[in-house]
């Protein structure tokens, strides 16, 4: 029994130090912007904030159906993202998967409002788990879109979430906050949060099971 406990403690220590190693390497990403070949990739996370005044250049509203109650600003994404999102939604629909846009671009001010509203409705612990603080959100880049389904219940085992996880990369999107990689991304698993990185990078990350921080580390 003692031996078992000792082994358990040892495994625990190894896992703990591995986790810290990864956290340290993740913190070495110090810029918001990385050049991978000719592609400029933005990395926003808790340690790597976006400027308060950053506003994307070409925000437009994609022709996709939206969930009820989505603010007009949140319907916007960067033009290139909008085109890919429309293709993804259409192809999904052709296979019987109906998606809805739930939240795209959020300005610093809207992110602030979203964060504070969540604290009021669900408390600070839940807000910190699921809503980024202003300046730490990818939604300010115009490169992200949260999606949902008609039931507004988008967990990992719904057919919509499964289709997204298997197909999003073909349209240049990644599931930004992956299960099991929370210690790297600093965010809980979010099967609904799509981030545009372009087909080539999305496919590479999908095939190698990488999150954005890991991909940037590997490529630099
Ligand atoms: Zn999101």
């Amino acid at each position: 029994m003692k031996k078992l406990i000792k082994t358990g403690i040892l495994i625990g220590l190894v896992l703990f130090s591995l986790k810290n190693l990864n956290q340290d390497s993740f913190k070495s990403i110090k810029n918001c912007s990385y050049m991978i070949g000719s592609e400029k990739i933005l990395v926003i996370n808790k340690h790597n904030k976006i400027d308060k005044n950053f506003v994307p250049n070409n925000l437009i509203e994609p022709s996709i159906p939206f969930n009820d109650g989505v603010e007009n600003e949140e319907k916007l994404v960067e033009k290139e993202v909008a085109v890919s999102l429309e293709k993804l939604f259409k192809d999904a629909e052709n296979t019987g998967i109906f998606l809805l846009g739930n939240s795209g671009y959020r300005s610093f001010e809207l992110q602030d409002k979203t964060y504070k509203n969540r604290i009021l409705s669900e408390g600070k612990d839940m807000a910190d788990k699921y809503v980024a603080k202003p300046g730490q959100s990818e939604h300010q880049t115009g490169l992200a879109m949260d999606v949902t389904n008609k039931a507004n219940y988008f967990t990992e085992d719904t057919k919509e979430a499964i289709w997204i996880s298997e197909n999003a990369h073909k349209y240049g999107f990644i599931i930004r906050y992956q299960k099991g990689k929370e210690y790297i991304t600093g965010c809980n698993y979010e099967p609904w949060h799509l981030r545009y990185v372009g087909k080539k990078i999305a496919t590479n990350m999908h095939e190698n099971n990488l999150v954005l921080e890991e991909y940037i580390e590997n490529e630099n």
Side-chain angles (χ1 to χ4, degrees):
M1 188 63 187
K2 262 189 182 169
K3 208 176 171 188
L4 260 181
I5 293 172
K6 264 189 186 169
T7 315
I9 291 172
L10 197 67
I11 291 171
L13 279 173
V14 170
L15 286 176
F16 182 74
S17 51
L18 269 179
K19 193 174 156 177
N20 280 344
L21 259 183
N22 284 324
Q23 270 177 335
D24 283 347
S25 64
F26 149 60
K27 280 177 191 163
S28 73
I29 292 176
K30 291 278 185 233
N31 300 307
C32 283
S33 177
Y34 285 85
M35 288 306 290
I36 306 291
S38 59
E39 306 263 4
K40 187 175 154 192
I41 299 290
L42 293 177
V43 186
I44 313 301
N45 56 41
K46 285 178 182 171
H47 301 281
N48 209 21
K49 294 175 194 163
I50 191 165
D51 190 275
K52 188 179 176 178
N53 299 312
F54 176 89
V55 178
N57 288 326
N58 301 303
L59 289 171
I60 62 163
E61 185 182 323
S63 295
I64 57 167
F66 283 94
N67 199 7
D68 293 338
V70 178
E71 300 212 23
N72 282 338
E73 182 184 294
E74 286 178 289
K75 292 182 178 175
L76 306 175
V77 283
E78 277 275 10
K79 197 174 173 195
E80 194 184 342
V81 183
V83 173
S84 292
L85 205 55
E86 286 167 2
K87 278 192 204 136
L88 182 150
F89 269 59
K90 202 165 233 166
D91 287 353
E93 199 178 326
N94 287 337
T95 57
I97 302 291
F98 295 95
L99 299 167
L100 295 167
N102 212 15
S103 188
Y105 172 65
R106 295 202 291 258
S107 62
F108 188 92
E109 291 72 25
L110 182 58
Q111 189 67 33
D112 192 43
K113 193 174 125 189
T114 306
Y115 177 67
K116 284 174 180 160
N117 282 346
R118 190 67 75 94
I119 291 178
L120 287 176
S121 64
E122 291 177 33
K124 194 171 182 308
D125 281 357
M126 281 304 276
D128 284 339
K129 265 186 187 161
Y130 287 104
V131 185
K133 293 187 179 73
Q136 300 176 12
S137 172
E138 258 195 351
H139 286 276
Q140 198 185 328
T141 65
L143 301 172
M145 176 62 82
D146 294 338
V147 296
T148 190
N149 52 18
K150 283 182 176 168
N152 207 2
Y153 183 77
F154 203 85
T155 56
E156 63 178 310
D157 44 10
T158 56
K159 64 180 191 301
E160 294 86 4
I162 293 167
W163 190 90
I164 283 284
S165 72
E166 289 171 354
N167 294 286
H169 64 282
K170 297 172 193 167
Y171 304 86
F173 291 95
I174 55 168
I175 313 288
R176 175 70 174 91
Y177 307 113
Q178 292 281 3
K179 196 175 190 179
K181 305 274 178 119
E182 294 87 347
Y183 60 94
I184 304 173
T185 62
C187 288
N188 271 26
Y189 171 53
E190 292 190 357
W192 56 82
H193 180 107
L194 291 177
R195 156 69 195 271
Y196 186 77
V197 290
K199 269 187 218 171
K200 203 174 139 199
I201 295 175
T203 303
N204 181 318
M205 287 173 66
H206 178 80
E207 284 170 357
N208 296 295
N209 188 30
L210 300 173
V211 289
L212 192 55
E213 285 82 2
E214 291 173 303
Y215 178 78
I216 299 289
E217 285 276 330
N218 288 352
E219 295 294 317
N220 271 274

